[in-house]
Amino acid sequence: MRAVYAIIKKNLVSFARDKARIFMTLIMPLFMLFSCSFLMNSSVVDIDSPFNYLIAGVVITIVFQGVFNNSTAVLNDISSGFMREIIVAPVARFYIAVGNILSASILATLQGGLLLIIGILLGFRTTFPDFILMLVLMMLSAIILSAIVLFLSLTAKNQTNYQIISSVVIMPAMFLSGAYIPITIMPKVILPIVYLNPLTYLTSAFRYVALNMFDLSATELIHQGIAIHFGSITILPYVSWIFAFGIGMVFLILCIKKFEKINLLEVQGSTRGRRR
């Protein structure tokens, strides 16, 4: 557990020292919140409490974006030599994977919580117990997303490849998740991609709790874009959590396998390449 604590502490301290990074992570979500608010308030979208609906979606996207930004830490650790020190220590690779996932998740949850507070100041209606519950769900979402993104970063192996993957994945995944635009008004031709996007299920499940939609029927949830419906299949929000959790567990196992395949020579090679 010392390795987990060391990784989390190092990444939290690094993030706290980078004030510009904290500021920049809020710019894009706030811009999208301002831009999409006009669409949500138009007659095209038949959604109850459109501003709250949009805030809940934007919060999940900043968690997703935060996970991507914070998961670069493992690549920095490899290039700086910090990972070499952990690998040579008698530490199970499982703890290394968990430490990186938890550190990225904590940071992403802090970013999402900060945006949620800004949303409350702008008019998002919630109660204190619901606020705490949303923080817990943000953390669970961040853990699931961190497992996926950490696997991608380990597959990329270096910052250049990771930046390419980030550019290809982040924006399409956010726009095709229903976070900014309800999936009920999206063109049918892109819906198969929407249904394959893990962020879609996390967004709908988080909105279900954030907007307190527990009393709505399945038909109403489909109409609000909260329940995922395709063909004769309807995926309710609580099933979305189960589905997303299953995906997270699969990628956690893949991350552990990736760390088990990392050897000292590869890490030393990456460190030497960086120094050159």
Side-chain angles (χ1 to χ4, degrees):
M1 293 301 293
R2 286 185 177 180
V4 174
Y5 174 75
I7 292 172
I8 293 175
K9 181 180 178 181
K10 182 189 75 68
N11 292 338
L12 287 176
V13 170
S14 176
F15 181 80
R17 289 175 177 172
D18 193 351
K19 302 296 189 299
R21 183 178 167 191
I22 299 173
F23 176 75
M24 291 303 295
T25 54
L26 294 174
I27 294 299
M28 185 62 180
L30 289 174
F31 172 76
M32 294 305 302
L33 177 63
F34 175 76
S35 302
C36 295
S37 62
F38 295 101
L39 174 63
M40 295 299 294
N41 288 319
S42 68
S43 58
V44 178
V45 180
D46 185 16
I47 296 292
D48 297 333
S49 303
F51 182 75
N52 287 7
Y53 188 93
L54 181 58
I55 281 284
V58 174
V59 165
I60 285 296
T61 62
I62 196 175
V63 170
F64 176 64
Q65 191 172 4
V67 163
F68 253 97
N69 294 335
N70 299 322
S71 292
T72 58
V74 67
L75 297 176
N76 294 332
D77 291 343
I78 292 175
S79 62
S80 66
F82 181 78
M83 185 61 69
R84 179 177 61 83
E85 298 177 6
I86 297 179
I87 288 178
V88 298
V91 177
R93 303 294 172 89
F94 169 79
Y95 292 116
I96 301 176
V98 170
N100 280 281
I101 288 173
L102 286 180
S103 63
S105 302
I106 291 170
L107 291 172
T109 302
L110 290 174
Q111 292 169 268
L114 181 58
L115 182 64
L116 184 58
I117 292 173
I118 294 174
I120 292 173
L121 295 176
L122 293 175
F124 180 79
R125 298 184 299 275
T126 187
T127 62
F128 182 73
D130 287 342
F131 177 79
I132 299 300
L133 179 58
M134 282 187 281
L135 288 179
V136 173
L137 295 179
M138 271 188 265
M139 185 65 184
L140 291 176
S141 300
I143 291 173
I144 294 169
L145 293 170
S146 294
I148 299 173
V149 175
L150 180 60
F151 175 77
L152 292 177
S153 65
L154 291 172
T155 302
K157 295 184 179 180
N158 58 63
Q159 290 281 7
T160 302
N161 293 338
Y162 185 74
Q163 291 300 324
I164 294 173
I165 293 174
S166 299
S167 301
V168 172
V169 172
I170 291 179
M171 293 306 294
M174 290 194 298
F175 276 101
L176 297 178
S177 67
Y180 299 131
I181 303 172
I183 61 177
T184 52
I185 64 172
M186 289 185 181
K188 291 184 179 181
V189 67
I190 65 173
L191 287 181
I193 302 175
V194 173
Y195 298 146
L196 291 173
N197 183 3
L199 194 58
T200 301
Y201 300 92
L202 288 175
T203 301
S204 64
F206 183 77
R207 275 197 177 118
Y208 178 70
V209 175
L211 303 181
N212 199 15
M213 293 183 165
F214 307 113
D215 296 330
L216 297 184
S217 64
T219 302
E220 291 172 315
L221 290 173
I222 293 172
H223 178 72
Q224 296 288 324
I226 303 300
I228 311 298
H229 179 74
F230 52 95
S232 58
I233 301 174
T234 299
I235 301 179
L236 297 175
Y238 63 87
V239 179
S240 295
W241 280 115
I242 297 173
F243 178 73
F245 179 78
I247 293 176
M249 290 303 297
V250 169
F251 277 94
L252 174 60
I253 294 171
L254 291 175
C255 287
I256 295 172
K257 295 294 183 182
K258 276 286 184 181
F259 273 109
E260 289 176 349
K261 292 179 181 179
I262 294 178
N263 57 57
L264 186 58
L265 292 177
E266 288 179 347
V267 175
Q268 286 177 334
S270 299
T271 306
R272 289 170 185 166
R274 170 82 176 215
R275 288 173 180 173
R276 288 175 186 172

